[in-house]
Amino acid sequence: MQLSRRTMLAGAAALAGTTATATATAAPASASASASASGSPEGQRHSKDKAVVFRDVRPFGAAKATDLVAVDGRFVAGPAPRGARVVEGGGRIALPSLVDAHIHPDKTTWGGSWVSRRPASAIADYVEQDVELFRAQRRPVAERAYGLMAHAVARGTRAMRAHADVAPAYGLAGVAGLAEARRRLRHALDVQIVAFPQHGVVRTPGAAKLLEAAARSGDVDMIGGIDPIGFDHALDEQLDLVFGIADRHGVGLDIHLHDRGEQGVRTLRGIVERTRALSLAGKVTVSHVFCLPGLSDRDLGALAADLGDQDIALTTVAPSDSLVLPIARLREHGVRVGLGSDGVRDSWSPFGDADMLHRAHILGWVTDVRLDEELTDCYRVAAHGGADVMHLPHADLKPGSPADFVLVRGECLPQVVVDMPRRDLVVHGGVVVARDGVFLA
């Protein structure tokens, strides 16, 4: 079997099977959510100092509609202040905006011409095609990333952790491009940037110096690492390098770990040890972590306890039933777990859409859920799990929380997860930033 993106990331020659995802037809909206005659909310989108009433909405699909009031970008209790603008919700469901805890906008070809991909059988093959595609792009990273990130906003994303490849082939072009896209979207999207050494830290001369430069630049919030054993073949050397850089410059860490079995577990233990030794609790994330799903319940519990003790966060992109993280079990030990969309139409794969509601749907699909509470929990992971990973407050529609939410037509939250209706209105900090699936630049 030829390796796919999923099997490549799994670090195995092949997976036992593939998992399809179903896309249901969204329920049509008979009318757009619109502003009242008191004024168009689009005119406010660069200002968060005005009160707004979102009238006739159903929080979490409640049977009875109510009004949500936002002042200075946060929900407040009680009646709206005099002179508040009014946005009619038309009985739509109000849901918290979503958080993409793991995405690679620098690699994307979103909005450009179709790219035909060649076969690949190892990470090195994908990396080679990454470089070729980067050099072939006529649009700079900032433009491509902005297009994808704005699309994510229109689909209801309030925040994302964005990984930018750092390697001698690119220098810091990816970091600079994402920083520019973040600046342009600062009114609509909260972004953390990770300088990610896709080509390896030790095996690629110059990569460690670039990570150091990225950490000094002020443009990144975190630096990354990748499979210290399976790809870099230097467990201690890589971890010592990246943890040292993070400690010196006061940035966080987000390490990609695809290695399965004992290699992955050894790496995870090394990450726990260094997090403890350098007092970096709460500043370290490990992404993918394919070694965890295969552990016995006893071994999983012991490792999860260590992760919880050091407040090491994890992210999953729910690639398959055998590789998705055991989220509920990890939560028992206080481990923060977020959901992400990973690569989007890049050299690794033609798939991906940066739509976190779709990703919540995929999470439900690969974990074979069917109960309402299970479907609702998939949405919670997409909304609040990523917020926990990024140390953001929950956008839970309660007084004091960020006024970050979406309005959709539907019957109830579980049905929304299954049907994935259009996001009719997207609000960030009390300001309308997208309407009818279109980003308001």
Side-chain angles (χ1 to χ4, degrees):
M1 179 190 298
Q2 182 177 312
L3 291 184
S4 67
R5 178 189 182 89
R6 289 178 178 172
T7 54
M8 184 65 255
L9 292 180
L15 289 177
T18 58
T19 304
T21 60
T23 303
T25 303
S30 61
S32 300
S34 59
S36 74
S38 61
S40 169
E42 285 87 334
Q44 317 166 41
R45 63 180 177 271
H46 298 296
S47 173
K48 297 183 180 178
D49 59 357
K50 295 181 180 180
V52 187
V53 179
F54 297 92
R55 179 172 293 163
D56 188 26
V57 301
R58 297 187 294 124
F60 299 100
K64 184 178 179 180
T66 187
D67 296 343
L68 293 176
V69 180
V71 177
D72 293 333
R74 290 187 176 270
F75 286 118
V76 298
R82 181 176 299 177
R85 293 177 179 268
V86 177
V87 178
E88 297 292 347
R92 289 171 176 78
I93 296 178
L95 295 173
S97 295
L98 302 160
V99 177
D100 192 330
H102 187 102
I103 187 172
H104 294 264
D106 66 314
K107 296 174 180 284
T108 193
T109 63
W110 188 268
S113 301
W114 178 257
V115 172
S116 297
R117 295 153 185 85
R118 300 194 313 275
S121 58
I123 289 180
D125 297 331
Y126 287 97
V127 165
E128 180 183 350
Q129 291 188 44
D130 276 342
V131 175
E132 292 174 2
L133 185 58
F134 174 83
R135 291 172 176 168
Q137 290 297 301
R138 295 182 179 180
R139 298 177 299 150
V141 172
E143 181 182 338
R144 291 183 282 112
Y146 173 83
L148 180 63
M149 293 158 73
H151 168 79
V153 171
R155 296 301 182 269
T157 294
R158 64 183 279 236
M160 65 171 53
R161 180 173 288 175
H163 296 256
D165 280 10
V166 169
Y170 319 115
L172 298 182
V175 167
L178 291 193
E180 172 62 17
R182 174 171 64 182
R183 184 193 65 78
R184 292 178 63 188
L185 289 163
R186 63 186 180 276
H187 66 290
L189 184 68
D190 297 320
V191 180
Q192 293 178 355
I193 298 175
V194 183
F196 172 52
Q198 176 74 81
H199 297 193
V201 178
V202 176
R203 66 183 283 156
T204 304
K209 289 184 177 179
L210 284 169
L211 287 176
E212 189 101 39
R216 284 197 307 265
S217 71
D219 284 337
V220 305
D221 304 275
M222 317 186 84
I223 62 166
I226 179 171
D227 294 328
I229 298 177
F231 186 58
D232 236 0
H233 308 299
L235 172 63
D236 292 329
E237 187 176 358
Q238 183 192 130
L239 291 184
D240 287 345
L241 276 169
V242 297
F243 270 87
I245 294 170
D247 187 45
R248 284 193 296 276
H249 297 283
V251 297
L253 282 159
D254 193 323
I255 298 173
H256 287 51
L257 180 58
H258 313 105
D259 286 345
R260 300 171 74 174
E262 182 57 28
Q263 285 189 168
V265 171
R266 282 179 57 202
T267 299
L268 207 51
R269 288 176 177 149
I271 290 170
V272 170
E273 291 168 4
R274 286 164 177 81
T275 302
R276 181 183 294 114
L278 294 173
S279 299
L280 292 177
K283 299 190 69 174
V284 178
T285 300
V286 188
S287 294
H288 305 305
V289 209
F290 292 155
C291 61
L292 286 183
L295 294 179
S296 68
D297 187 68
R298 179 179 177 179
D299 289 343
L300 174 62
L303 201 44
D306 288 338
L307 293 170
D309 179 65
Q310 292 304 308
D311 195 16
I312 296 172
L314 307 179
T315 68
T316 183
V317 300
S320 71
D321 59 346
S322 64
L323 296 177
V324 64
L325 290 177
I327 297 172
R329 189 76 171 91
L330 291 163
R331 281 177 173 168
E332 293 175 5
H333 294 275
V335 181
R336 294 173 288 127
V337 184
L339 184 65
S341 58
D342 209 11
V344 179
R345 297 193 190 180
D346 53 25
S347 66
W348 292 63
S349 172
F351 294 100
D353 57 10
D355 184 338
M356 284 303 297
L357 178 54
H358 187 197
R359 188 59 51 168
H361 174 105
I362 290 173
L363 176 62
W365 179 271
V366 302
T367 53
D368 196 27
V369 304
R370 55 188 295 273
L371 304 181
D372 284 2
E373 180 59 29
E374 294 171 329
L375 290 163
T376 297
D377 201 49
C378 290
Y379 196 93
R380 291 192 191 108
V381 174
H384 303 324
D388 291 337
V389 169
M390 292 180 64
H391 294 293
L392 298 174
H394 288 190
D396 53 14
L397 311 185
K398 296 178 181 179
S401 69
D404 298 346
F405 66 99
V406 299
L407 293 184
V408 299
R409 284 195 176 276
E411 183 179 352
C412 59
L413 178 49
Q415 176 254 325
V416 168
V417 172
V418 171
D419 286 351
M420 299 177 292
R422 184 182 67 183
R423 282 24 55 97
D424 291 343
L425 207 70
V426 180
V427 178
H428 187 78
V431 178
V432 177
V433 293
R435 181 183 296 282
D436 299 334
V438 178
F439 177 66
L440 304 174

